[in-house]
């Protein structure tokens, strides 16, 4: 990919770039038909989603162009979630947006640090309605029927014969060893979520979505992010993900509404980021103010548009569907 | 290839690569041995930790290792260098080469030279890989021309290439050739497969 100074051509073909445009139109029509309002929110914000494994890219808004390093900190958004929820709290109907999201350090066959995200919120929707809408969109995009739904627990039971909500780290480590997968030496035995992620990536994802798209739902409570928890004895997160042909495409939540719970999760995540040696992210945000005011019950989903284009045209990597991926941007 | 004990080459740390530096072609050191990263896949569940799935080829043994690293891990870099050398001479079990730039001489054992002895003519240019300044791999040119020193005469008028016979070339090696090859002919051999390619001159 090494570009000579004269090289300027896109890495995606014109055929694919036309397909991108058609799919964008199809998505807009999908949401217009369902009376979702298209909105736009800032790419640069003082707030950012606090996730252990998502790293927002910082930007300095300088006042003096002669001193570009001095100014107030903004973050390129890893998703438009916070701002869209502020709109919801301020009285928006169901909304959608097609925009750019930025995630630092993510480069690979299926990752580009800047990508196109489709994000929507169905007001009053629970997780079932949220999954139904996602399934309909997957049907429109991939034309491979509605999505099959499998719970996270059922998937682990089916492909690994274990209960992901009950098994502890050492138990999961034994399963990983039995499966013969390469395990990072640095993965601590007690990092249950780390082991679950490893098993999901190596042993489950490769099976998902070959007949039809698949929605995995009811994630471990420790991976709730901004989803609500359900159930008392073994609470699960009302979170769901869409897979097609083994590739993760979308992530949805029956959205957490409780600001105190969000504060608590933010603190927890920042503690984990600290142990990972990563900078802490700002915990107070205008989203918390919006949640204090009241977020309507809703379900929100974010879909990776570039990966979707890949799967529609059978491309093997993102550089075939993005005009100028980061190496040549 | 030959095998070396883990400590033979010492542990000379020349820096580390973080997972964010991982890419195909990186030369790294694991347990004191040099590896070439021949494949690197970044995988990451949307909300999960980044994993770097690597295939690493051991430069001493040629074996391939599957290793997965997680974000924040690191690997030691390996001091591996490729130089152009000239083959000088052989002294019993030792082959002597000279760096074309520095004129420094390097000695390789016949184990290290492995099958390459078959193609080595004095004065021939080769490429050599050094690990911590010690020679580890010798690569002769892909094609070499060798004079046939001895062979049984071919059947008269037999020009078919599917009838073969062994011939002894000037280095002492045996090469399987078509039966029309005669003593004094010069043949071209592919050093990667050890196979006869064509007759260069009669």
């Amino acid at each position: 990919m090494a570009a000579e100074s004269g090289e300027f051509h896109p890495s995606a073909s014109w055929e694919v770039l036309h397909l991108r445009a058609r799919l964008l139109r199809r998505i807009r029509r999908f949401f217009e038909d369902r009376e979702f309002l298209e909105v736009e929110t800032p790419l640069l914000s003082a707030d950012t989603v606090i996730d252990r494994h998502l790293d927002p890219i910082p930007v300095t808004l300088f006042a003096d162009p002669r001193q570009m390093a001095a100014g107030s900190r903004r973050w390129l958004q890893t998703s438009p979630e916070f701002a869209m929820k502020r709109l919801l709290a301020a009285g928006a109907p169901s909304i959608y947006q097609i925009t750019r999201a930025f995630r630092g350090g993510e480069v690979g066959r299926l990752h580009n640090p800047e990508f196109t995200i489709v994000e929507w919120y169905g007001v009053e929707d629970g997780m079932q309605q949220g999954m139904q809408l996602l399934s309909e969109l997957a049907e429109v995009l991939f034309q491979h029927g509605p999505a099959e739904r499998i719970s996270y627990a059922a998937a682990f039971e089916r492909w690994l014969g274990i209960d992901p909500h009950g098994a502890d780290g050492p138990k999961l480590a034994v399963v990983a060893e039995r499966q013969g997968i390469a395990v990072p030496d640095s993965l601590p035995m007690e990092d249950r979520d780390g082991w679950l992620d490893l098993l999901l990536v190596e042993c489950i994802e490769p099976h998902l979505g070959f007949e039809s798209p698949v929605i995995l739902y009811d994630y471990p409570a420790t991976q709730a992010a901004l989803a609500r928890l359900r159930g008392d004895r073994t609470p699960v997160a009302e979170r769901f993900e869409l897979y097609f042909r083994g590739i993760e495409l979308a992530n949805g939540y029956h959205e957490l509404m409780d600001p105190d719970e969000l504060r608590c999760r933010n603190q927890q995540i920042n503690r984990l980021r600290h142990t990972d040696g990563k900078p802490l992210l700002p915990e107070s945000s205008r989203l918390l103010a919006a949640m204090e005011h009241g977020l309507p019950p809703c379900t929100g989903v974010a879909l990776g548009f570039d990966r979707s284009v890949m799967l529609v045209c059978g491309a093997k990597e993102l550089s075939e569907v993005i005009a100028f991926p980061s190496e040549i941007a | 290839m030959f095998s070396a004990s883990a400590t033979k080459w010492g542990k000379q740390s020349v820096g580390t690569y973080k997972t964010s530096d991982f890419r195909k072609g990186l030369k790294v050191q694991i347990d004191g041995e040099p590896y070439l990263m021949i494949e690197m896949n970044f995988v990451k569940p949307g909300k999960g930790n980044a994993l770097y799935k690597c295939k690493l080829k051991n430069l001493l043994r040629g074996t391939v290792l599957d290793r997965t690293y997680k974000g924040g891990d690191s690997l030691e870099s390996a001091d591996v260098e490729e130089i152009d050398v000239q083959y000088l001479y052989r002294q019993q079990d030792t082959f002597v080469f000279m760096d074309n730039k520095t004129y420094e001489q390097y000695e390789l054992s016949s184990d290290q030279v492995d099958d390459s002895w078959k193609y080595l003519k004095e004065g021939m240019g080769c490429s050599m890989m050094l690990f911590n300044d010690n020679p580890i791999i010798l690569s002769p040119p892909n094609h070499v021309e060798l004079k046939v020193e001895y062979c049984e005469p071919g059947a008269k008028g037999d020009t078919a290439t599917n009838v073969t016979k062994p011939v002894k070339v000037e280095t002492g090696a045996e090469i399987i050739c078509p039966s029309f090859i005669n003593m004094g002919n010069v043949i071209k051999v592919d050093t990667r497969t050890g196979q006869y390619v064509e007759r260069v001159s009669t």
Side-chain angles (χ1 to χ4, degrees):
Chain A
M1 194 123 333
E4 290 172 34
S5 54
E7 184 55 74
F8 71 95
H9 288 95
S11 60
S13 69
W14 281 111
E15 197 185 341
V16 170
L17 295 177
H18 279 277
L19 172 69
R20 277 186 80 100
R22 281 201 302 282
L23 291 175
L24 284 173
R25 279 201 298 277
R26 209 186 283 171
I27 291 170
R28 286 211 161 81
R29 197 177 321 125
F30 178 89
F31 286 109
E32 298 301 327
D33 287 349
R34 286 160 181 78
E35 296 184 341
F36 277 59
L37 177 69
E38 181 166 8
V39 296
E40 292 174 288
T41 55
L43 292 180
L44 289 177
S45 168
D47 294 335
T48 180
V49 179
I50 301 183
D51 242 305
R52 181 176 182 186
H53 300 299
L54 288 189
D55 300 302
I57 299 171
V59 171
T60 304
L61 276 195
F62 55 82
D64 179 354
R66 280 158 292 267
Q67 291 185 318
M68 289 195 177
S72 60
R73 168 65 56 86
R74 294 287 186 275
W75 304 96
L76 283 167
Q77 299 293 280
T78 55
S79 81
E81 180 156 8
F82 274 24
M84 289 180 82
K85 285 181 174 169
R86 283 166 64 187
L87 287 174
L88 292 167
S94 291
I95 51 178
Y96 80 101
Q97 163 158 228
I98 303 176
T99 185
R100 289 307 173 86
F102 299 81
R103 295 179 182 180
E106 302 193 1
V107 185
R109 185 174 75 89
L110 296 174
H111 294 84
N112 194 56
E114 171 180 357
F115 64 100
T116 300
I117 196 168
V118 182
E119 183 147 329
W120 63 91
Y121 291 84
V123 171
E124 303 297 337
D125 283 357
M127 185 168 72
Q128 295 303 324
Q129 287 116 308
M131 291 198 287
Q132 179 58 34
L133 186 64
L134 176 59
S135 169
E136 286 169 20
L137 179 61
E139 202 170 348
V140 164
L141 286 175
F142 306 120
Q143 302 176 348
H144 261 269
E148 181 196 346
R149 297 182 200 176
I150 310 174
S151 74
Y152 190 92
F156 272 74
E157 176 58 45
R158 177 166 167 194
W159 283 292
L160 292 167
I162 50 160
D163 167 20
H165 303 303
D168 59 8
K171 174 101 189 275
L172 295 170
V174 169
V175 174
E177 191 180 348
R178 211 169 56 212
Q179 294 290 318
I181 57 181
V183 171
D185 293 336
S186 60
L187 189 56
M189 206 46 95
E190 66 279 8
D191 184 1
R192 228 178 70 83
D193 288 316
W195 289 100
L196 288 172
D197 280 345
L198 183 69
L199 290 169
L200 182 72
V201 164
E202 296 281 359
C203 308
I204 295 177
E205 286 186 353
H207 299 288
L208 300 179
F210 287 87
E211 303 286 313
S212 65
V214 163
I215 295 175
L216 208 58
Y217 66 94
D218 280 354
Y219 273 65
T222 45
Q223 298 178 22
L226 294 172
R228 287 191 215 197
L229 300 185
R230 189 188 74 238
D232 293 327
R233 201 164 290 166
T234 314
V236 291
E238 290 201 300
R239 176 181 156 200
F240 53 99
E241 296 234 1
L242 174 70
Y243 284 89
F244 189 46
R245 302 203 194 291
I247 292 175
E248 180 192 0
L249 288 173
N251 177 50
Y253 306 136
H254 185 204
E255 301 290 349
L256 178 70
M257 292 164 68
D258 178 357
D260 293 330
E261 173 66 20
L262 180 60
R263 271 190 201 98
C264 184
R265 289 187 193 177
N266 283 346
Q267 279 168 15
Q268 261 170 13
I269 293 170
N270 260 338
R271 272 200 296 276
L272 290 170
R273 287 184 62 91
H274 183 71
T275 60
D276 290 344
K278 291 181 177 184
L280 304 187
L281 295 170
E283 286 175 19
S284 68
S285 66
R286 292 189 170 93
L287 173 65
L288 280 170
M291 286 169 78
E292 294 287 358
H293 177 265
L295 185 68
C298 60
T299 290
V301 181
L303 170 97
F305 177 70
D306 312 274
R307 287 188 187 178
S308 302
V309 178
M310 254 183 73
L311 291 171
V312 171
C313 67
K316 291 277 168 281
E317 48 188 276
L318 284 179
S319 59
E320 294 173 59
V321 302
I322 297 177
F324 303 118
S326 132
E327 309 89 83
I328 59 165
Chain B
M1 295 308 133
F2 75 112
S3 49
S5 69
T7 53
K8 184 167 177 185
W9 310 108
K11 250 197 169 174
Q12 186 175 319
S13 174
V14 285
T16 56
Y17 291 119
K18 288 178 291 194
T19 42
S20 49
D21 302 319
F22 284 13
R23 60 177 191 283
K24 215 161 119 176
L26 219 58
K27 286 164 185 141
V28 299
Q29 201 172 167
I30 300 170
D31 298 332
E33 294 193 352
Y35 286 81
L36 176 68
M37 198 172 277
I38 53 175
E39 235 179 270
M40 202 290 284
N41 272 309
F42 175 81
V43 292
K44 183 180 187 301
K47 300 283 169 185
N49 198 357
L51 297 171
Y52 299 76
K53 297 176 65 174
C54 304
K55 277 195 194 307
L56 297 152
K57 184 178 173 185
N58 185 309
L59 291 173
L60 301 178
R61 311 165 197 281
T63 50
V64 174
L65 204 63
D66 278 302
R67 284 277 181 108
T68 298
Y69 298 90
K70 70 182 184 60
D73 287 351
S74 60
L75 279 172
E76 270 181 273
S77 64
D79 177 13
V80 173
E81 186 189 1
E82 213 155 330
I83 58 169
D84 292 323
V85 295
Q86 193 187 119
Y87 170 53
L88 297 181
Y89 58 88
R90 173 180 187 167
Q91 206 166 37
Q92 279 102 38
D93 264 359
T94 305
F95 292 74
V96 182
F97 299 83
M98 182 182 71
D99 185 330
N100 290 348
K101 279 204 190 103
T102 64
Y103 307 115
E104 193 170 332
Q105 291 193 8
Y106 291 99
E107 295 185 353
L108 266 76
S109 68
S110 49
D111 275 352
Q112 286 172 294
V113 170
D114 203 24
D115 270 354
S116 296
W117 69 270
K118 292 179 178 176
Y119 317 111
L120 292 179
K121 289 198 294 185
E122 288 179 8
M124 180 187 272
C126 296
S127 114
M128 186 183 274
M129 197 180 277
L130 304 178
F131 173 48
N132 293 343
D133 297 324
N134 296 299
I136 54 168
I137 298 173
L138 175 77
S139 313
N142 292 343
H143 294 103
V144 294
E145 293 179 0
L146 301 168
K147 191 168 181 183
V148 177
E149 289 216 317
Y150 178 77
C151 66
E152 300 289 341
K156 259 217 164 91
D158 189 358
T159 54
T161 48
N162 56 354
V163 182
T164 58
K165 63 180 181 187
V167 310
K168 196 171 176 191
V169 295
E170 56 186 307
T171 58
E174 255 188 16
I175 307 285
I176 303 297
C177 287
S179 65
F180 60 77
I181 297 295
N182 282 312
M183 282 194 272
N185 288 174
V186 176
I187 58 170
K188 186 191 271 189
V189 178
D190 188 322
T191 63
R192 295 160 296 185
T193 59
Q195 279 171 352
Y196 165 89
V197 179
E198 62 182 2
R199 179 163 64 182
V200 181
S201 70
T202 53

